[in-house]
Amino acid sequence: MDGSGVIAPPRAKIRVESVVKTYAADRAAARTTALQDVSLHLGEGELVCLLGPSGCGKSTVLNLIAGFERPEFGAVTVDGRPVERPGPDRAVVFQQPQLFPWLSVLDNVTFGPRMAGVPPARYREDAERYLRLVGLTGFERHAPYELSGGMRQRVALARAWIANPAVLLMDEPFAALDAQTRLTMQELLLDLRRATGTTILFVTHDIDEALFLADRVLVMTARPGRIKAEVAVPRAAVRDFDNLFDAPAMAQRRHDLIALVREEARKAAP
Amino acid sequence: MTRTDGTRGSALRRPLLSLAATAAVLAVWQASGALGWIGPNLLPTPTEVLTTAAELAETGYRQVPLWEHVAVSLARAMAAFLAAIATGVPLGLVMGVSPTASALLDPFVQFLRPLPKLALIPLVIVWFGIGEFSKFFLIYLATFLSVVAGAAAAVASVGRDRLRAAEVLGVNRWQMFRHVLLPSTLPDLFTSVRLAIGIGWTTLIAAEMVAATSGLGWMVVNAGAYLRTDVVLLGIVLLGLFGYLLDLAVVGLRKRVVPWMGRE
């Protein structure tokens, strides 16, 4: 049931190998270790949730893959190429949508292709398609500040997806939304993933969200962050969110994950 | 229904209160003169100031029509403001983007900015004489330094995640500046321009003390020397009024250019 996670699958899309990341602490002489020997691999088309208490370094893992930060030791590769800087092959969706408020919805979605000099004829259809997939057909001319929080995050999803990235990195993208909107967005994400087959690393602190979305859940320890456990989710048992834990296999995994996360949360804040 | 009425009521409430406060102050001011609490040479009443305004509008002050005093001051200030914005915004943005430029220039900006510009008048006269350029230069300098500091700070306050969001969309350095950083700074740029214009307008009176023969600032100083307090007050009212109108113009422009301000 639980994969070992140590041996990389042959066609790993994302590889993080024995990564160490430290930060200069504000007042202390010693550096704070954010990540201690972290390794993980994502296969082509996998959706993996990185779960852990706040401050455990799960966003740091994502930042390393995105290329926002560099590790002290270890290696990060995407499609076999070492990550050196941010690039459009690794789309990122942040907790806040980070739209450009001076651009319309359509101009936000097409920002990447336009900056890359792609002629409008080539991205127009994609823009229509992704706006339809996220349910925003008819809102092309709206300004971001005219939309609700959930709609803004839909625009961010379409903007990330239109470049057809090798991997999609999501940093607690639905954490700031209300419960009802969050569920709608989670269902939307699963639909989008089914339609595109994109490899997704999804950072969250929400156990139910992880079990609803993921093929595999990686649990991180409190700082210094390490991968503590790996839980495979039997996707066949996942149907709708309301009855997510009717299946005994799912209820058991939820029980296990709660125990694992609680233990780390206690360490982080004694 | 209740909500609509409530909204309309609160929308009207503010201007009504402002109007009432203004009217009350004017009434007390008028009464203080009319009831003889304060002598007319110390504080002319609003009606006396109005009479003076009508007089000056017809006959002018010191052979110069009143509208010309206003126009001269506005022209000096506007020329200085436009030059300060045209040069200060790019320089401030460069300082915001480049740590080297900031390290080189910041000491001078931070030293000169809080300096009272009156202290520079003797030097400015020695350097540039008593012509128009000296007056322009003083207003320009005050506005420029404030705009530079504001623009540099505007760059620093752009959120890290917004820049990262642009990076992963594949922008190059120039695109990052032109299509992300520059529009992101617009709200703060408008705020700093607004503050800078306020500072520049207050420098106007200092600038017009440099051997001018017209202008609102000069009119106030000159009338003060002849104890024409009614003209002084009229000048103060006009300086305040046009300062207020300039500010309204900047705010109006901001609403058009940066409609997302405060709504992100």
Side-chain angles (χ1 to χ4, degrees):
Chain A
M1 155 186 122
D2 291 7
S4 71
V6 178
I7 299 157
R11 286 179 49 74
K13 203 75 178 162
I14 300 175
R15 281 169 192 262
V16 174
E17 303 279 1
S18 312
V19 154
V20 175
K21 178 72 189 170
T22 65
Y23 292 104
D26 281 344
R27 276 177 290 270
R31 292 172 70 86
T32 310
T33 305
L35 299 179
Q36 181 69 56
D37 193 22
V38 168
S39 296
L40 58 92
H41 308 97
L42 266 74
E44 173 98 53
E46 250 195 316
L47 199 169
V48 171
C49 278
L50 201 51
L51 182 71
S54 58
C56 73
K58 50 193 191 299
S59 291
T60 306
V61 174
L62 185 140
N63 288 343
L64 293 174
I65 301 168
F68 299 141
E69 299 177 38
R70 305 292 301 272
E72 267 86 53
F73 300 101
V76 180
T77 63
V78 170
D79 267 340
R81 284 187 300 276
V83 168
E84 279 165 354
R85 62 183 70 83
D89 58 323
R90 283 151 288 134
V92 180
V93 177
F94 301 84
Q95 183 170 346
Q96 299 301 325
Q98 299 301 342
L99 302 180
F100 305 122
W102 54 91
L103 297 178
S104 68
V105 165
L106 183 66
D107 287 345
N108 265 286
V109 171
T110 59
F111 187 82
R114 287 191 293 116
M115 292 297 116
V118 177
R122 277 182 45 209
Y123 60 70
R124 196 172 293 138
E125 259 179 54
D126 284 342
E128 280 171 23
R129 173 168 176 245
Y130 284 108
L131 280 169
R132 192 175 61 246
L133 281 172
V134 300
L136 285 177
T137 304
F139 288 92
E140 292 85 353
R141 294 279 141 234
H142 280 62
Y145 55 83
E146 295 170 320
L147 306 180
S148 68
M151 288 163 92
R152 290 181 198 187
Q153 199 58 290
R154 287 162 187 261
V155 179
L157 281 177
R159 184 178 68 175
W161 238 301
I162 195 173
N164 195 22
V167 299
L168 181 56
L169 308 169
M170 308 186 79
D171 193 357
E172 308 210 27
F174 309 142
L177 303 173
D178 64 85
Q180 192 50 52
T181 310
R182 190 183 313 140
L183 178 56
T184 315
M185 294 298 290
Q186 288 161 351
E187 289 168 341
L188 174 68
L189 179 66
L190 288 176
D191 289 346
L192 279 166
R193 188 227 176 179
R194 252 193 300 276
T196 59
T198 306
T199 308
I200 300 172
L201 180 68
F202 192 105
V203 167
T204 182
H205 62 259
D206 182 337
I207 291 165
D208 292 0
E209 179 171 66
L211 283 169
F212 185 47
L213 296 176
D215 303 322
R216 274 190 298 145
V217 180
L218 300 176
V219 183
M220 284 188 72
T221 62
R223 178 169 289 173
R226 286 177 294 105
I227 305 291
K228 178 191 176 90
E230 174 177 332
V231 175
V233 180
R235 292 308 297 175
V238 177
R239 277 178 291 271
D240 57 310
F241 188 81
D242 294 340
N243 306 310
L244 189 56
F245 304 110
D246 289 358
M250 290 300 283
Q252 183 60 45
R253 277 166 180 75
R254 181 171 194 240
H255 183 265
D256 294 348
L257 284 177
I258 289 174
L260 286 165
V261 171
R262 281 241 176 98
E263 197 178 295
E264 293 309 319
R266 260 198 301 275
K267 275 192 229 161
Chain B
M1 272 320 278
T2 334
R3 197 167 153 240
T4 319
D5 291 343
T7 317
R8 191 184 301 155
S10 62
L12 267 176
R13 194 179 139 80
R14 214 187 132 80
L16 278 178
L17 278 176
S18 300
L19 211 65
T22 313
V25 168
L26 283 176
V28 171
W29 179 6
Q30 181 72 32
S32 68
L35 300 174
W37 299 341
I38 304 174
N41 285 334
L42 283 181
L43 186 68
T45 60
T47 47
E48 280 164 350
V49 174
L50 271 180
T51 314
T52 307
E55 263 174 43
L56 294 198
E58 261 185 40
T59 60
Y61 181 75
R62 307 276 163 193
Q63 285 81 51
V64 178
L66 184 61
W67 67 263
E68 201 179 308
H69 288 295
V70 173
V72 161
S73 287
L74 278 176
R76 280 174 188 149
M78 292 308 287
F81 292 163
L82 291 177
I85 292 165
T87 53
V89 168
L91 187 69
L93 291 177
V94 167
M95 284 175 67
V97 174
S98 156
T100 312
S102 173
L104 289 173
L105 298 171
D106 203 48
F108 304 103
V109 173
Q110 297 311 339
F111 171 76
L112 287 171
R113 197 169 57 93
L115 199 72
K117 302 304 171 281
L118 281 168
L120 294 177
I121 288 180
L123 275 182
V124 168
I125 291 178
V126 172
W127 291 345
F128 304 121
I130 54 170
E132 270 312 306
F133 188 78
S134 291
K135 303 169 191 72
F136 164 85
F137 182 76
L138 279 169
I139 310 172
Y140 167 78
L141 191 66
T143 318
F144 169 77
L145 292 166
S146 183
V147 168
V148 169
V155 174
S157 72
V158 177
R160 185 195 64 184
D161 278 354
R162 173 173 288 170
L163 301 180
R164 286 181 167 181
E167 278 181 49
V168 296
L169 292 169
V171 296
N172 60 34
R173 281 175 66 93
W174 165 247
Q175 288 172 332
M176 178 66 100
F177 178 78
R178 166 67 188 82
H179 293 288
V180 182
L181 207 59
L182 190 61
S184 293
T185 57
L186 277 177
D188 282 2
L189 279 183
F190 266 95
T191 304
S192 52
V193 162
R194 199 178 161 194
L195 292 172
I197 283 183
I199 291 167
W201 190 244
T202 58
T203 314
L204 180 71
I205 196 154
E208 290 184 342
M209 284 166 81
V210 185
T213 51
S214 62
L216 283 176
W218 171 81
M219 189 177 92
V220 168
V221 174
N222 184 278
Y226 294 93
L227 285 178
R228 285 288 307 270
T229 40
D230 55 334
V231 177
V232 171
L233 269 171
L234 176 64
I236 289 169
V237 167
L238 287 174
L239 278 169
L241 185 69
F242 281 99
Y244 184 54
L245 289 177
L246 273 173
D247 191 58
L248 280 184
V250 176
V251 172
L253 191 66
R254 187 195 72 195
K255 280 186 180 152
R256 283 183 64 91
V257 178
V258 198
W260 66 89
M261 188 167 173
R263 295 206 273 168
E264 277 183 68

